[in-house]
Amino acid sequence: MDQKETLQRYLSRQRGDLLGKLEGLGEHDARRPLVPSGTNLLGLVKHTALVQLGYLGDVFGRPSPLSPAWSDDEVDPDADLWATADESRASIVDLARHSAEHADATVRELDLDSPGLVPWWSAGRQEVTLHTVLVHLCVETARHTGHADLARELVDGRLGSGPGDPNVPDRDATGWRAHHDRVAEAAHRAAGLEQPLR
């Protein structure tokens, strides 16, 4: 089995799953912060797209015209984690698609041992290979897709990659409530609490 193709396939799957978290949502639900840190679905898509442009663009001397100005002191350090009211959802989805195409072209053109330089990593770690970067991006993208899984559940209860996901048990609302209560009861008993908190 070709290692590059395997890594590329896993990265592509995670990108698709993350983008799919926006499906069926209105503007507010796609953008609104869902936890105290401000994490939001559209911001996760934007962040992963921009990070990918850095790693599979700039790091290998293949910058995209859409690469962010990371070193610009005027830029909000959290600008990649949320969408302003002036940024359209369509433009961020287009950015994600462009990022994927640019990244895939880099992967196609380079060998796994092709060298790159990550200037924002600490000294002694900056010299990398395409293999290292692909593994890093698979992990990074999967991490943010997991964030998006939970964020989407908070918005409308949707689990996994959508209806029919074989990795999600087939339960109705009553079944999920029973499961939730069973987990809560076990947690309270293990902690020595007399009554479950509802």
Side-chain angles (χ1 to χ4, degrees):
M1 181 173 293
D2 181 84
Q3 290 185 9
K4 187 165 78 165
E5 186 276 330
T6 299
L7 289 167
Q8 179 68 25
R9 183 166 32 90
Y10 274 87
L11 178 58
S12 181
R13 169 83 186 268
Q14 290 302 316
R15 290 187 309 221
D17 285 351
L18 176 57
L19 203 53
K21 298 300 173 189
L22 296 176
E23 290 175 5
L25 292 182
E27 285 298 319
H28 184 251
D29 283 335
R31 296 167 177 266
R32 67 184 170 104
L34 294 157
V35 293
S37 66
T39 298
N40 62 91
L41 289 162
L42 196 56
L44 288 168
V45 170
K46 180 181 177 184
H47 171 74
T48 56
L50 291 172
V51 165
Q52 182 173 243
L53 284 176
Y55 279 107
L56 287 173
D58 301 330
V59 164
F60 294 99
R62 296 174 44 82
S64 159
L66 302 181
S67 290
W70 296 113
S71 61
D72 187 345
D73 292 336
E74 299 299 315
V75 173
D76 172 358
D78 295 321
D80 62 319
L81 294 168
W82 63 289
T84 68
D86 296 332
E87 288 179 288
S88 74
R89 178 172 164 171
S91 71
I92 292 174
V93 169
D94 286 345
L95 171 68
R97 290 189 175 124
H98 166 79
S99 175
E101 290 169 6
H102 190 81
D104 290 348
T106 296
V107 173
R108 274 193 309 275
E109 292 185 24
L110 300 178
D111 295 325
L112 281 179
D113 60 355
S114 295
L117 182 72
V118 184
W120 53 89
W121 283 8
S122 60
R125 296 181 56 232
Q126 295 178 335
E127 293 182 8
V128 296
T129 63
L130 177 63
H131 182 265
T132 302
V133 168
L134 277 172
V135 171
H136 179 81
L137 277 177
C138 283
V139 171
E140 171 101 356
T141 306
R143 180 172 179 248
H144 292 312
T145 301
H147 294 150
D149 282 340
L150 293 174
R152 182 64 190 251
E153 185 177 353
L154 289 170
V155 169
D156 64 4
R158 182 175 134 181
L159 300 172
S161 59
D165 184 332
N167 294 313
V168 177
D170 185 18
R171 294 186 177 114
D172 62 11
T174 302
W176 281 112
R177 183 76 237 176
H179 174 68
H180 173 277
D181 291 348
R182 179 178 58 189
V183 174
E185 176 70 24
H188 288 93
R189 287 180 64 195
L193 301 174
E194 291 184 19
Q195 294 292 326
L197 301 175
R198 300 272 180 184

